[in-house]
């Protein structure tokens, strides 16, 4: 079992650039969650999908953030344009239907200069 | 609003002692509570889940209690080892959305030999 896979692991970009983060959930899991973690605010849920459908995006900070899940094995989180305050670690997690446990990926550490 | 509090100060203890971490919550009636472990540079890893009708749950050297009257959970590691050093996060199921976990900011545990 490969676990949740995220890429890239590290991303350094300049303010104004577009950033795309990628996630492959555990095979068979039908829920996918995107989180952001900072020292000040901890781990915050941005958006989650059930069966590839976005259910709750109330945590998305603003319109610069968007997320898609075109199929059961792939999701993207895009920031356009990026700003220095977007610097954080972004985690993807997946969950099997009927279970409560979420399985996290290794995260993408984003630095926006 | 729903709020979860964990001691932001690091907990330093000597190997062999019992570590006790606290998670307090307000404005909540969670159906269950989870504890996760997070190592530096990695995603959180699920440890234990305790439901509102359970007082205590054990797993090897780990023990979790859940007091819905005090709105508090305690997480104990007995016979602590340096390998237990990590950040421990508590997470509660949102009372507004049963798919969403709300995470505390975590407590860093350091076990010294």
């Amino acid at each position: 079992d490969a676990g949740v896979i995220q890429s890239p692991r590290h991303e350094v970009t300049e303010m104004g650039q577009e950033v795309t983060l990628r996630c492959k959930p555990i095979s068979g899991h039908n829920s996918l969650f995107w989180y952001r973690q900072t020292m000040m605010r901890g781990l915050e849920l941005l958006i989650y999908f059930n069966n590839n459908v976005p259910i709750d995006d109330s945590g998305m900070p603003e319109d610069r953030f968007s997320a898609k899940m075109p199929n059961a094995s792939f999701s993207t989180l895009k920031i356009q344009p990026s700003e220095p305050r977007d610097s954080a670690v972004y985690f993807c997690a997946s969950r099997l239907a009927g279970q409560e446990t979420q399985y996290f990926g290794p995260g993408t550490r984003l630095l926006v200069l | 609003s729903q709020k979860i509090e964990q001691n932001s100060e690091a907990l330093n203890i000597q190997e062999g002692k019992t570590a006790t971490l606290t998670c307090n919550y307000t404005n909540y009636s969670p159906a269950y509570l989870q504890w996760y472990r997070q190592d530096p540079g990695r995603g959180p890893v699920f440890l234990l889940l305790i439901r509102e009708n359970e007082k205590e749950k054990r797993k090897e050297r780990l023990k979790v209690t859940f007091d819905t009257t005090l709105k508090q959970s305690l997480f104990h590691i007995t016979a602590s080892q340096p390998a237990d050093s990590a950040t421990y996060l508590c997470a509660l199921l949102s009372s507004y959305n049963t798919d969403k976990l709300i995470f505390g900011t975590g407590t860093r545990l350091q076990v010294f030999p």
Side-chain angles (χ1 to χ4, degrees), chain A residues 9 33 35 37 40-43 45 48 50 55-56 58 91 95 100-102 104-106 109, chain B residues 32 34 36 38 41-46 49 51 89 93 97-105:
Chain A
R9 292 295 312 277
F33 304 81
Y35 290 89
Q37 187 174 42
M40 291 298 295
R41 300 174 67 91
L43 196 61
L45 178 65
Y48 77 94
N50 282 346
I55 303 300
D56 187 339
S58 59
F91 289 102
R95 186 186 68 189
E100 295 104 347
T101 303
Q102 294 186 18
F104 284 78
R109 186 174 294 274
Chain B
Y32 61 74
Q34 300 184 10
Y36 286 76
Q38 186 174 21
R42 294 177 177 263
V45 175
F46 171 78
L49 179 151
R51 301 187 187 281
L89 305 168
L93 186 66
N97 184 330
T98 57
D99 275 337
K100 291 177 67 170
L101 282 178
I102 312 295
F103 281 84
T105 53

Side-chain angles (χ1 to χ4, degrees), chain B residues 3-5 10 12 18 20 34-35 37 45-46 54 61-62 64 66 70 79 82 90-91:
Chain B
K3 191 175 180 181
I4 302 171
E5 290 185 346
N12 299 312
T18 296
T20 299
Q34 300 184 10
W35 283 89
R37 168 182 172 144
V45 175
F46 171 78
E54 298 175 315
R61 294 184 297 109
L62 308 180
V64 173
F66 194 10
L70 292 178
C90 72

